[in-house]
Amino acid sequence: IYNLKFTENIIKEYEKLFPYEYFTSRESIVKKESCSICGEINTIRKHCGHKVGKVYMGEMCSRIVEEFEILGFSIVTNPFDKYTVLFPQDKEYNYFMLEKLMPNLKKPYDNWYVDILKEKNPEYRDIGRNDLCPCSSGIKYKKCCLNSDSGYTDHHRITLLDNPNVKPIPFTLGSTWKN
C-alpha cells in the first residue's frame, strides 16, 4: 500500500549503479535499544511486541540504539548495507551510469532494472588461442587469460519498463574512478 516493496527493490537497482567500492563495517555490542513506535527499552528477554520494518499508523518501526560499545572497524567491499561509503583521498567516484539514467525517469515510481553482463574487452575480441596474450605477459593466450575473467568488463544495460519508447540504455564502464 505504501510501495515499500517497490522501494526496497528499486534501492537494490540503484546500488548496482553507484560506483562505490569501499565501505566501513563496524563491530559493536548493542547495550541498550528502544522501539521507535512506543519508546520502550527492548532486551533479549523482554521486547515491546512491535515488529521492525512493519508500519504502525504511518510510521515504520525500527530500533533506536541508545548505548553501544565499538569493538572495531573493517574496510569491506560488499557490506550488507551500503551506508558507510569511504571516499579515498585524491579519488573521485564516477557517476556516469546515474547521469545516463536520471534524464529518462519521469517520476519516482518508474519501474526499471539493470542487467550486469560480462563483455570482452576490445583487445581480447579477435585474439587466437595461440597468439600472445594481450596482457603483455609474453605467454600464449590459451595458457594465460583465456579461461579467466581478466579479459572481460562489466557491461550494464538499463531497461525502463514504464517507458517502452526508450530503448535499453547500454554502457560499459571499465573504471569506477573519474579520470
Side-chain angles (χ1 to χ4, degrees):
I1 191 167
Y2 298 105
N3 284 321
L4 294 179
K5 195 64 178 168
F6 171 83
T7 303
E8 181 183 341
N9 291 335
I10 208 72
I11 285 172
K12 289 180 177 131
E13 294 302 313
Y14 275 111
E15 284 178 351
K16 292 177 189 176
L17 298 180
F18 273 88
Y20 303 142
E21 293 180 10
Y22 302 105
F23 306 84
T24 60
S25 177
R26 68 173 166 76
E27 300 169 37
S28 61
I29 298 172
V30 175
K31 294 184 173 185
K32 181 179 175 184
E33 69 178 10
S34 62
C35 175
S36 66
I37 302 298
C38 65
E40 190 174 317
I41 302 298
N42 287 289
T43 66
I44 292 174
R45 293 186 177 90
K46 179 183 164 240
H47 53 85
C48 65
H50 291 111
K51 304 259 189 252
V52 173
K54 189 170 178 183
V55 177
Y56 297 90
M57 298 298 288
E59 183 179 345
M60 186 166 64
C61 179
S62 61
R63 295 293 182 247
I64 300 168
V65 176
E66 297 182 16
E67 291 179 27
F68 66 98
E69 178 184 341
I70 294 178
L71 301 175
F73 285 94
S74 299
I75 296 175
V76 296
T77 56
N78 192 19
F80 174 73
D81 57 24
K82 297 183 171 25
Y83 303 124
T84 55
V85 179
L86 290 177
F87 293 90
Q89 195 171 13
D90 300 327
K91 299 280 186 182
E92 187 176 329
Y93 284 116
N94 185 343
Y95 297 95
F96 173 78
M97 293 184 270
L98 288 164
E99 291 167 358
K100 285 291 198 185
L101 170 65
M102 298 317 284
N104 292 292
L105 297 179
K106 303 294 182 221
K107 57 188 186 309
Y109 292 103
D110 278 356
N111 202 0
W112 58 275
Y113 65 92
V114 179
D115 287 318
I116 301 176
L117 313 164
K118 293 286 187 189
E119 184 176 277
K120 262 192 177 181
N121 292 331
E123 61 270 18
Y124 286 86
R125 285 193 190 132
D126 296 322
I127 187 111
R129 291 174 45 81
N130 290 315
D131 293 339
L132 288 179
C133 190
C135 77
S136 302
S137 65
I139 303 171
K140 288 184 179 184
Y141 179 55
K142 67 181 178 185
K143 294 194 180 217
C144 190
C145 292
L146 176 64
N147 295 319
S148 72
D149 285 341
S150 61
Y152 290 86
T153 301
D154 284 349
H155 175 77
H156 295 72
R157 182 179 59 205
I158 299 172
T159 303
L160 304 169
L161 299 173
D162 291 338
N163 193 347
N165 296 330
V166 177
K167 292 188 179 353
I169 306 167
F171 48 89
T172 302
L173 191 63
S175 171
T176 58
W177 300 106
K178 252 187 183 174
N179 293 330

